[in-house]
Amino acid sequence: SAVISQKPSRDICQRGTSLTIQCQVDSQVTMMFWYRQQPGQSLTLIATANQGSEATYESGFVIDKFPISRPNLTFSTLTVSNMSPEDSSIYLCSGGQGPYNEQFFGPGTRLTVL
Amino acid sequence: AQKITQTQPGMFVQEKEAVTLDCTYDTSDQSYGLFWYKQPSSGEMIFLIYQGSYDEQNATEGRYSLNFQKARKSANLVISASQLGDSAMYFCAMREEEGTSYGKLTFGQGTILTVHP
């Protein structure tokens, strides 16, 4: 199984600034995923991050707005750039596969943009 | 493209009774996985149960069971003997398990379950 941690757990940011969210896994995982959960909504996949290659973005998400790094098999970052209030969401990273085929999630980063 | 539909925005159940949360899905893949996650107000995603598309028996994990009807493309979650701590948002999700999109999860809209004492 994998334990995933995220930093920061929450933040309040000003419009126009950027925030980098860190995701650390306690074991090596091939793929990591970044999800966004807007208030009262479901989770939407932003991008898939593989080590050693460019992240693959889902429709509606672009690299300039959500640059992702994946320097090794246990770590990834997601940057939310030039933030607006519409970016206020919970951002979750995910990866790994457990003995019951479960996919693990980090605790989430709760972002508020003023 | 994969799609997950949860038609029940909210459900209420009396403590100690059973409740069924509905989930239907649409995919052209042969190999896929179906999940149920619980999300309490704290925001963490708690894995409940998994069903593989090739599994012939319905999955069970303690008080949770999955009523998998492949021909109908439904994967309903049954919670038996509801507890007050079961009050949360419940998400049905599907994972692609073949090809270059392996591992991607598509989530339904979620169902808020409220357990009354």
Side-chain angles (χ1 to χ4, degrees):
Chain A
S1 63
V3 177
I4 303 179
S5 59
Q6 287 184 235
K7 289 182 183 179
S9 59
R10 59 177 64 230
D11 208 340
I12 301 174
C13 300
Q14 295 298 318
R15 180 195 299 260
T17 62
S18 298
L19 176 73
T20 295
I21 302 168
Q22 298 179 9
C23 179
Q24 180 76 53
V25 189
D26 69 346
S27 59
Q28 294 183 342
V29 296
T30 305
M31 289 182 290
M32 293 178 71
F33 305 89
W34 286 97
Y35 292 85
R36 181 176 75 180
Q37 186 178 22
Q38 296 178 300
Q41 303 294 315
S42 183
L43 284 75
T44 301
L45 181 65
I46 298 172
T48 303
N50 289 333
Q51 193 263 337
S53 62
E54 292 273 335
T56 303
Y57 289 83
E58 297 298 304
S59 175
F61 298 96
V62 295
I63 187 171
D64 290 345
K65 176 67 176 177
F66 297 101
I68 287 171
S69 77
R70 182 80 199 274
N72 56 53
L73 291 173
T74 63
F75 188 78
S76 178
T77 67
L78 169 76
T79 299
V80 186
S81 303
N82 189 24
M83 289 184 285
S84 67
E86 293 70 35
D87 294 320
S88 297
S89 298
I90 299 174
Y91 292 86
L92 299 105
C93 67
S94 174
Q97 188 168 325
Y100 298 98
N101 286 296
E102 68 271 37
Q103 191 152 318
F104 300 101
F105 281 84
T109 295
R110 197 178 294 264
L111 171 63
T112 302
V113 183
L114 303 177
Chain B
Q2 297 189 333
K3 185 175 181 181
I4 298 284
T5 302
Q6 295 178 252
T7 57
Q8 306 157 314
M11 288 286 285
F12 295 88
V13 65
Q14 206 70 27
E15 194 179 8
K16 299 181 184 177
E17 294 188 347
V19 63
T20 298
L21 306 184
D22 294 342
C23 173
T24 58
Y25 62 93
D26 188 22
T27 182
S28 57
D29 294 342
Q30 296 300 310
S31 180
Y32 53 88
L34 295 159
F35 296 79
W36 279 91
Y37 283 89
K38 172 185 177 181
Q39 188 180 45
S41 56
S42 59
E44 62 186 307
M45 295 291 285
I46 301 171
F47 166 76
L48 297 178
I49 198 166
Y50 167 87
Q51 179 86 41
S53 58
Y54 293 113
D55 294 341
E56 295 186 351
Q57 290 192 325
N58 287 339
T60 61
E61 292 290 344
R63 294 188 299 112
Y64 305 107
S65 61
L66 201 152
N67 184 0
F68 180 47
Q69 299 188 42
K70 193 171 182 177
R72 295 186 176 185
K73 294 189 174 180
S74 73
N76 299 336
L77 176 70
V78 180
I79 304 175
S80 62
S82 296
Q83 302 172 355
L84 295 178
D86 294 335
S87 294
M89 175 75 89
Y90 288 80
F91 288 105
C92 179
M94 178 161 47
R95 180 173 68 192
E96 302 183 34
E97 297 190 340
E98 60 186 14
T100 57
S101 297
Y102 184 93
K104 292 170 53 173
L105 284 169
T106 301
F107 285 85
Q109 305 93 315
T111 297
I112 299 175
L113 176 65
T114 303
V115 181
H116 289 304

